[in-house]
CSV table of all heavy atoms in Angstrom, one decimal:
chain,number,residue,atom,x,y,z
A,24,VAL,N,17.1,0.3,9.6
A,24,VAL,CA,15.9,1.1,9.9
A,24,VAL,C,16.1,1.8,11.2
A,24,VAL,O,16.1,1.1,12.3
A,24,VAL,CB,14.6,0.4,9.8
A,24,VAL,CG1,13.4,1.3,10.0
A,24,VAL,CG2,14.6,-0.4,8.5
A,25,PRO,N,16.2,3.2,11.3
A,25,PRO,CA,16.5,3.8,12.6
A,25,PRO,C,15.2,3.8,13.5
A,25,PRO,O,14.0,3.7,13.0
A,25,PRO,CB,16.8,5.2,12.2
A,25,PRO,CG,16.2,5.4,10.9
A,25,PRO,CD,16.2,4.1,10.2
A,26,PRO,N,15.4,3.8,14.8
A,26,PRO,CA,14.2,3.8,15.7
A,26,PRO,C,13.2,4.9,15.5
A,26,PRO,O,12.0,4.7,15.6
A,26,PRO,CB,14.9,4.0,17.1
A,26,PRO,CG,16.3,3.5,16.9
A,26,PRO,CD,16.7,3.8,15.5
A,27,GLU,N,13.6,6.1,15.0
A,27,GLU,CA,12.7,7.2,14.8
A,27,GLU,C,11.8,6.9,13.6
A,27,GLU,O,10.7,7.4,13.5
A,27,GLU,CB,13.5,8.5,14.5
A,27,GLU,CG,14.5,8.5,13.4
A,27,GLU,CD,15.9,8.1,13.9
A,27,GLU,OE1,16.0,7.4,14.9
A,27,GLU,OE2,16.9,8.5,13.2
A,28,ALA,N,12.2,6.0,12.6
A,28,ALA,CA,11.4,5.6,11.5
A,28,ALA,C,10.3,4.8,12.0
A,28,ALA,O,9.1,4.9,11.7
A,28,ALA,CB,12.2,4.9,10.4
A,29,HIS,N,10.6,3.8,12.9
A,29,HIS,CA,9.5,3.0,13.5
A,29,HIS,C,8.6,3.8,14.4
A,29,HIS,O,7.4,3.5,14.4
A,29,HIS,CB,10.2,1.9,14.4
A,29,HIS,CG,10.9,0.8,13.6
A,29,HIS,ND1,10.2,-0.1,12.8
A,29,HIS,CD2,12.2,0.5,13.4
A,29,HIS,CE1,11.0,-1.0,12.2
A,29,HIS,NE2,12.3,-0.6,12.6
A,30,ALA,N,9.1,4.8,15.1
A,30,ALA,CA,8.3,5.6,15.9
A,30,ALA,C,7.3,6.4,15.0
A,30,ALA,O,6.1,6.5,15.3
A,30,ALA,CB,9.1,6.6,16.7
A,31,TRP,N,7.8,6.9,13.9
A,31,TRP,CA,6.9,7.6,12.9
A,31,TRP,C,5.8,6.7,12.4
A,31,TRP,O,4.7,7.1,12.3
A,31,TRP,CB,7.7,8.1,11.8
A,31,TRP,CG,7.0,8.9,10.7
A,31,TRP,CD1,6.6,10.2,10.7
A,31,TRP,CD2,6.4,8.3,9.5
A,31,TRP,NE1,5.8,10.5,9.6
A,31,TRP,CE2,5.7,9.4,8.8
A,31,TRP,CE3,6.5,7.0,8.9
A,31,TRP,CZ2,5.0,9.2,7.6
A,31,TRP,CZ3,5.8,6.8,7.7
A,31,TRP,CH2,5.1,7.9,7.1
A,32,ALA,N,6.2,5.4,12.0
A,32,ALA,CA,5.2,4.5,11.4
A,32,ALA,C,4.1,4.2,12.5
A,32,ALA,O,2.9,4.1,12.1
A,32,ALA,CB,5.9,3.2,11.0
A,33,MET,N,4.5,4.1,13.8
A,33,MET,CA,3.5,3.8,14.7
A,33,MET,C,2.4,4.9,14.9
A,33,MET,O,1.3,4.7,15.4
A,33,MET,CB,4.2,3.6,16.1
A,33,MET,CG,5.0,2.4,16.2
A,33,MET,SD,4.0,0.8,16.0
A,33,MET,CE,2.9,1.0,17.4
A,34,GLN,N,2.8,6.1,14.4
A,34,GLN,CA,1.8,7.2,14.5
A,34,GLN,C,0.8,7.3,13.3
A,34,GLN,O,-0.1,8.2,13.3
A,34,GLN,CB,2.6,8.6,14.6
A,34,GLN,CG,3.5,8.6,15.8
A,34,GLN,CD,4.4,9.8,15.8
A,34,GLN,OE1,4.4,10.6,14.8
A,34,GLN,NE2,5.2,10.0,16.8
A,35,GLN,N,1.0,6.5,12.3
A,35,GLN,CA,0.3,6.7,11.0
A,35,GLN,C,-1.1,6.1,11.0
A,35,GLN,O,-1.9,6.5,10.2
A,35,GLN,CB,1.1,6.2,9.9
A,35,GLN,CG,2.5,6.9,9.7
A,35,GLN,CD,2.4,8.4,9.8
A,35,GLN,OE1,1.6,9.1,9.1
A,35,GLN,NE2,3.1,9.0,10.8
A,36,TRP,N,-1.4,5.1,11.8
A,36,TRP,CA,-2.8,4.6,11.9
A,36,TRP,C,-3.0,4.0,13.3
A,36,TRP,O,-2.0,3.6,13.9
A,36,TRP,CB,-3.0,3.6,10.8
A,36,TRP,CG,-2.2,2.3,10.8
A,36,TRP,CD1,-2.4,1.2,11.6
A,36,TRP,CD2,-1.1,2.0,10.0
A,36,TRP,NE1,-1.4,0.3,11.3
A,36,TRP,CE2,-0.6,0.7,10.3
A,36,TRP,CE3,-0.4,2.7,8.9
A,36,TRP,CZ2,0.4,0.1,9.7
A,36,TRP,CZ3,0.6,2.1,8.3
A,36,TRP,CH2,1.1,0.8,8.7
A,37,PRO,N,-4.2,3.9,13.7
A,37,PRO,CA,-4.5,3.5,15.0
A,37,PRO,C,-4.3,1.9,15.1
A,37,PRO,O,-4.5,1.2,14.2
A,37,PRO,CB,-6.0,3.8,15.3
A,37,PRO,CG,-6.6,4.0,13.9
A,37,PRO,CD,-5.4,4.5,13.0
A,38,SER,N,-4.0,1.5,16.3
A,38,SER,CA,-3.9,0.1,16.6
A,38,SER,C,-5.3,-0.5,16.8
A,38,SER,O,-6.3,0.2,17.0
A,38,SER,CB,-3.0,-0.2,17.8
A,38,SER,OG,-1.7,0.3,17.5
A,39,GLY,N,-5.4,-1.8,16.8
A,39,GLY,CA,-6.6,-2.5,17.1
A,39,GLY,C,-7.2,-3.3,16.0
A,39,GLY,O,-7.9,-4.3,16.3
A,40,LYS,N,-7.0,-2.9,14.8
A,40,LYS,CA,-7.4,-3.7,13.6
A,40,LYS,C,-6.3,-4.3,12.8
A,40,LYS,O,-5.2,-3.6,12.7
A,40,LYS,CB,-8.3,-2.9,12.7
A,40,LYS,CG,-9.6,-2.4,13.2
A,40,LYS,CD,-10.4,-1.6,12.1
A,40,LYS,CE,-11.7,-1.2,12.6
A,40,LYS,NZ,-12.4,-0.5,11.5
A,41,PRO,N,-6.4,-5.4,12.2
A,41,PRO,CA,-5.4,-5.9,11.3
A,41,PRO,C,-5.3,-4.9,10.1
A,41,PRO,O,-6.3,-4.3,9.7
A,41,PRO,CB,-5.8,-7.3,10.8
A,41,PRO,CG,-7.3,-7.3,11.0
A,41,PRO,CD,-7.6,-6.4,12.3
A,42,THR,N,-4.1,-4.8,9.5
A,42,THR,CA,-3.9,-3.7,8.5
A,42,THR,C,-3.4,-4.4,7.2
A,42,THR,O,-2.4,-5.1,7.2
A,42,THR,CB,-2.9,-2.7,9.0
A,42,THR,OG1,-3.3,-2.1,10.2
A,42,THR,CG2,-2.6,-1.6,7.9
A,43,LEU,N,-4.1,-4.0,6.1
A,43,LEU,CA,-3.6,-4.4,4.7
A,43,LEU,C,-3.0,-3.1,4.2
A,43,LEU,O,-3.7,-2.1,4.0
A,43,LEU,CB,-4.8,-4.8,3.8
A,43,LEU,CG,-4.5,-5.0,2.4
A,43,LEU,CD1,-3.5,-6.2,2.2
A,43,LEU,CD2,-5.7,-5.2,1.5
A,44,LEU,N,-1.7,-3.2,3.9
A,44,LEU,CA,-1.0,-2.0,3.3
A,44,LEU,C,-0.8,-2.3,1.8
A,44,LEU,O,-0.2,-3.3,1.5
A,44,LEU,CB,0.4,-1.9,4.0
A,44,LEU,CG,1.3,-0.7,3.5
A,44,LEU,CD1,0.6,0.6,3.8
A,44,LEU,CD2,2.6,-0.8,4.2
A,45,ILE,N,-1.3,-1.4,1.0
A,45,ILE,CA,-1.2,-1.5,-0.4
A,45,ILE,C,-0.2,-0.6,-1.0
A,45,ILE,O,-0.3,0.6,-0.8
A,45,ILE,CB,-2.7,-1.3,-1.1
A,45,ILE,CG1,-3.7,-2.2,-0.5
A,45,ILE,CG2,-2.5,-1.5,-2.6
A,45,ILE,CD1,-5.1,-2.0,-1.1
A,46,SER,N,0.8,-1.1,-1.6
A,46,SER,CA,1.8,-0.4,-2.4
A,46,SER,C,1.6,-0.7,-3.8
A,46,SER,O,2.1,-1.7,-4.4
A,46,SER,CB,3.2,-0.8,-1.9
A,46,SER,OG,4.2,-0.1,-2.6
A,47,PRO,N,0.7,0.1,-4.5
A,47,PRO,CA,0.2,-0.4,-5.8
A,47,PRO,C,1.1,-0.3,-7.0
A,47,PRO,O,0.7,-0.8,-8.1
A,47,PRO,CB,-1.0,0.4,-5.9
A,47,PRO,CG,-0.7,1.7,-5.2
A,47,PRO,CD,0.1,1.3,-4.1
A,48,CYS,N,2.2,0.5,-6.9
A,48,CYS,CA,3.0,0.8,-8.2
A,48,CYS,C,4.4,0.2,-8.1
A,48,CYS,O,5.1,0.3,-7.1
A,48,CYS,CB,3.1,2.3,-8.3
A,48,CYS,SG,1.5,3.0,-8.8
A,49,SER,N,4.8,-0.3,-9.2
A,49,SER,CA,6.2,-0.7,-9.5
A,49,SER,C,6.8,0.4,-10.4
A,49,SER,O,6.1,1.2,-11.0
A,49,SER,CB,6.2,-2.0,-10.3
A,49,SER,OG,7.5,-2.2,-10.9
A,50,SER,N,8.1,0.5,-10.4
A,50,SER,CA,8.8,1.4,-11.3
A,50,SER,C,8.5,1.0,-12.8
A,50,SER,O,8.8,1.8,-13.7
A,50,SER,CB,10.3,1.5,-11.0
A,50,SER,OG,10.8,0.2,-11.1
A,51,HIS,N,8.1,-0.2,-13.0
A,51,HIS,CA,7.8,-0.7,-14.4
A,51,HIS,C,6.2,-0.6,-14.5
A,51,HIS,O,5.5,-1.4,-13.9
A,51,HIS,CB,8.2,-2.1,-14.6
A,51,HIS,CG,9.7,-2.2,-14.6
A,51,HIS,ND1,10.5,-2.4,-15.7
A,51,HIS,CD2,10.6,-2.3,-13.5
A,51,HIS,CE1,11.8,-2.5,-15.3
A,51,HIS,NE2,11.8,-2.5,-14.0
A,52,VAL,N,5.7,0.3,-15.3
A,52,VAL,CA,4.3,0.6,-15.3
A,52,VAL,C,3.5,-0.6,-15.7
A,52,VAL,O,2.4,-0.8,-15.2
A,52,VAL,CB,4.0,1.8,-16.3
A,52,VAL,CG1,2.5,2.1,-16.4
A,52,VAL,CG2,4.7,3.1,-15.8
A,53,LEU,N,4.0,-1.4,-16.6
A,53,LEU,CA,3.2,-2.5,-17.1
A,53,LEU,C,3.0,-3.6,-16.0
A,53,LEU,O,2.2,-4.5,-16.2
A,53,LEU,CB,3.8,-3.1,-18.3
A,53,LEU,CG,3.8,-2.2,-19.6
A,53,LEU,CD1,4.6,-2.8,-20.7
A,53,LEU,CD2,2.4,-2.0,-20.0
A,54,ARG,N,3.8,-3.5,-14.9
A,54,ARG,CA,3.6,-4.5,-13.9
A,54,ARG,C,2.5,-4.1,-12.9
A,54,ARG,O,2.1,-4.9,-12.0
A,54,ARG,CB,4.9,-4.6,-13.0
A,54,ARG,CG,6.1,-5.1,-13.8
A,54,ARG,CD,7.3,-5.2,-12.9
A,54,ARG,NE,8.5,-5.5,-13.6
A,54,ARG,CZ,9.7,-5.6,-13.0
A,54,ARG,NH1,9.8,-5.5,-11.7
A,54,ARG,NH2,10.8,-5.9,-13.8
A,55,ASN,N,1.9,-2.9,-13.1
A,55,ASN,CA,0.9,-2.4,-12.1
A,55,ASN,C,-0.5,-3.0,-12.4
A,55,ASN,O,-0.9,-3.1,-13.6
A,55,ASN,CB,0.8,-0.9,-12.2
A,55,ASN,CG,2.1,-0.3,-11.7
A,55,ASN,OD1,2.9,-0.9,-11.0
A,55,ASN,ND2,2.3,1.0,-12.1
A,56,TRP,N,-1.2,-3.4,-11.4
A,56,TRP,CA,-2.6,-3.9,-11.5
A,56,TRP,C,-3.5,-2.8,-11.8
A,56,TRP,O,-3.2,-1.7,-11.7
A,56,TRP,CB,-2.9,-4.8,-10.3
A,56,TRP,CG,-3.9,-5.8,-10.4
A,56,TRP,CD1,-4.1,-6.6,-11.5
A,56,TRP,CD2,-4.7,-6.3,-9.4
A,56,TRP,NE1,-5.1,-7.5,-11.2
A,56,TRP,CE2,-5.5,-7.4,-9.9
A,56,TRP,CE3,-5.0,-6.0,-8.1
A,56,TRP,CZ2,-6.5,-8.1,-9.2
A,56,TRP,CZ3,-5.9,-6.7,-7.3
A,56,TRP,CH2,-6.7,-7.7,-7.9
A,57,LEU,N,-4.8,-3.2,-12.0
A,57,LEU,CA,-5.8,-2.1,-12.3
A,57,LEU,C,-6.3,-1.5,-11.0
A,57,LEU,O,-6.6,-2.3,-10.0
A,57,LEU,CB,-7.0,-2.8,-13.1
A,57,LEU,CG,-6.7,-3.1,-14.6
A,57,LEU,CD1,-5.8,-4.3,-14.8
A,57,LEU,CD2,-8.1,-3.4,-15.3
A,58,PRO,N,-6.6,-0.2,-11.0
A,58,PRO,CA,-7.0,0.4,-9.7
A,58,PRO,C,-8.3,-0.1,-9.2
A,58,PRO,O,-8.5,-0.2,-8.0
A,58,PRO,CB,-7.0,1.9,-10.1
A,58,PRO,CG,-7.0,2.0,-11.6
A,58,PRO,CD,-6.3,0.8,-12.0
A,59,GLU,N,-9.2,-0.4,-10.1
A,59,GLU,CA,-10.5,-0.9,-9.6
A,59,GLU,C,-10.4,-2.2,-9.0
A,59,GLU,O,-11.2,-2.6,-8.2
A,59,GLU,CB,-11.5,-0.9,-10.8
A,59,GLU,CG,-11.2,-1.8,-12.0
A,59,GLU,CD,-10.4,-1.1,-13.0
A,59,GLU,OE1,-9.7,-0.1,-12.7
A,59,GLU,OE2,-10.4,-1.6,-14.1
A,60,ARG,N,-9.4,-3.0,-9.4
A,60,ARG,CA,-9.2,-4.4,-8.8
A,60,ARG,C,-8.6,-4.2,-7.5
A,60,ARG,O,-8.9,-5.0,-6.5
A,60,ARG,CB,-8.5,-5.3,-9.7
A,60,ARG,CG,-9.2,-5.5,-11.1
A,60,ARG,CD,-8.6,-6.6,-12.0
A,60,ARG,NE,-9.2,-6.7,-13.2
A,60,ARG,CZ,-9.0,-7.5,-14.2
A,60,ARG,NH1,-8.0,-8.4,-14.0
A,60,ARG,NH2,-9.6,-7.6,-15.3
A,61,TYR,N,-7.6,-3.3,-7.3
A,61,TYR,CA,-7.1,-3.0,-6.0
A,61,TYR,C,-8.2,-2.6,-5.1
A,61,TYR,O,-8.3,-3.1,-3.9
A,61,TYR,CB,-6.0,-1.9,-6.1
A,61,TYR,CG,-4.7,-2.3,-6.5
A,61,TYR,CD1,-4.1,-1.6,-7.6
A,61,TYR,CD2,-3.9,-3.1,-5.8
A,61,TYR,CE1,-2.8,-2.0,-8.0
A,61,TYR,CE2,-2.6,-3.4,-6.2
A,61,TYR,CZ,-2.1,-2.9,-7.3
A,61,TYR,OH,-0.8,-3.1,-7.7
A,62,ALA,N,-9.1,-1.7,-5.6
A,62,ALA,CA,-10.2,-1.2,-4.8
A,62,ALA,C,-11.1,-2.4,-4.3
A,62,ALA,O,-11.6,-2.3,-3.2
A,62,ALA,CB,-11.0,-0.1,-5.5
A,63,ALA,N,-11.3,-3.3,-5.2
A,63,ALA,CA,-12.3,-4.4,-4.9
A,63,ALA,C,-11.7,-5.2,-3.7
A,63,ALA,O,-12.4,-5.6,-2.8
A,63,ALA,CB,-12.5,-5.3,-6.1
A,64,VAL,N,-10.4,-5.5,-3.8
A,64,VAL,CA,-9.8,-6.3,-2.7
A,64,VAL,C,-9.7,-5.5,-1.4
A,64,VAL,O,-10.0,-6.0,-0.3
A,64,VAL,CB,-8.3,-6.8,-3.1
A,64,VAL,CG1,-7.7,-7.5,-2.0
A,64,VAL,CG2,-8.4,-7.6,-4.4
A,65,ALA,N,-9.4,-4.2,-1.5
A,65,ALA,CA,-9.4,-3.4,-0.3
A,65,ALA,C,-10.8,-3.3,0.3
A,65,ALA,O,-10.8,-3.4,1.5
A,65,ALA,CB,-8.9,-2.0,-0.8
A,66,THR,N,-11.8,-3.2,-0.5
A,66,THR,CA,-13.2,-3.1,0.1
A,66,THR,C,-13.5,-4.4,0.8
A,66,THR,O,-14.1,-4.4,1.8
A,66,THR,CB,-14.2,-2.8,-1.1
A,66,THR,OG1,-13.8,-1.5,-1.6
A,66,THR,CG2,-15.6,-2.8,-0.5
A,67,HIS,N,-13.1,-5.5,0.2
A,67,HIS,CA,-13.3,-6.8,0.8
A,67,HIS,C,-12.7,-6.9,2.2
A,67,HIS,O,-13.2,-7.4,3.2
A,67,HIS,CB,-12.8,-8.0,-0.1
A,67,HIS,CG,-12.9,-9.3,0.5
A,67,HIS,ND1,-14.1,-10.1,0.5
A,67,HIS,CD2,-12.0,-10.1,1.3
A,67,HIS,CE1,-13.9,-11.2,1.1
A,67,HIS,NE2,-12.6,-11.2,1.6
A,68,ALA,N,-11.4,-6.4,2.2
A,68,ALA,CA,-10.7,-6.4,3.5
A,68,ALA,C,-11.4,-5.5,4.6
A,68,ALA,O,-11.5,-5.9,5.8
A,68,ALA,CB,-9.2,-5.9,3.3
A,69,ILE,N,-11.9,-4.3,4.1
A,69,ILE,CA,-12.6,-3.5,5.1
A,69,ILE,C,-13.8,-4.2,5.6
A,69,ILE,O,-14.2,-4.1,6.8
A,69,ILE,CB,-12.9,-2.2,4.4
A,69,ILE,CG1,-11.6,-1.4,4.2
A,69,ILE,CG2,-13.9,-1.3,5.2
A,69,ILE,CD1,-11.8,-0.1,3.4
A,70,ASP,N,-14.5,-4.8,4.7
A,70,ASP,CA,-15.8,-5.6,5.1
A,70,ASP,C,-15.4,-6.7,6.1
A,70,ASP,O,-16.3,-7.1,6.8
A,70,ASP,CB,-16.5,-6.1,3.8
A,70,ASP,CG,-17.0,-5.1,2.9
A,70,ASP,OD1,-17.2,-3.9,3.4
A,70,ASP,OD2,-17.3,-5.4,1.8
A,71,LYS,N,-14.3,-7.2,6.1
A,71,LYS,CA,-13.8,-8.2,7.0
A,71,LYS,C,-13.3,-7.7,8.3
A,71,LYS,O,-12.7,-8.4,9.1
A,71,LYS,CB,-12.8,-9.1,6.3
A,71,LYS,CG,-13.3,-9.9,5.2
A,71,LYS,CD,-14.2,-11.1,5.7
A,71,LYS,CE,-14.6,-12.0,4.6
A,71,LYS,NZ,-15.5,-13.2,5.1
C-alpha cells in the first residue's frame, strides 16, 4: 500500500470519533445482508 494511498484515506473523514466502515457487498450477491439491517446497526453505532 503506497504512502499516497494512506494520505488519501486520512482526508476522507475527520478524526476524533471511532469509525465503523461498512463494505456491504460481496461479489456473490447471495452473501449480501439486507440493507435495512445494515442501516439498523449503523444507526446504533451513530447513537453510540
Side-chain angles (χ1 to χ4, degrees):
V24 183
E27 55 268 26
H29 287 290
W31 179 86
M33 289 299 296
Q34 299 171 357
Q35 300 313 303
W36 63 78
S38 301
K40 291 183 178 181
T42 301
L43 173 64
L44 180 64
I45 302 176
S46 179
C48 288
S49 165
S50 58
H51 298 256
V52 177
L53 292 174
R54 296 183 189 177
N55 296 340
W56 206 29
L57 285 70
E59 62 271 19
R60 298 190 186 183
Y61 279 122
V64 178
T66 299
H67 176 83
I69 290 173
D70 290 343
K71 291 289 185 176

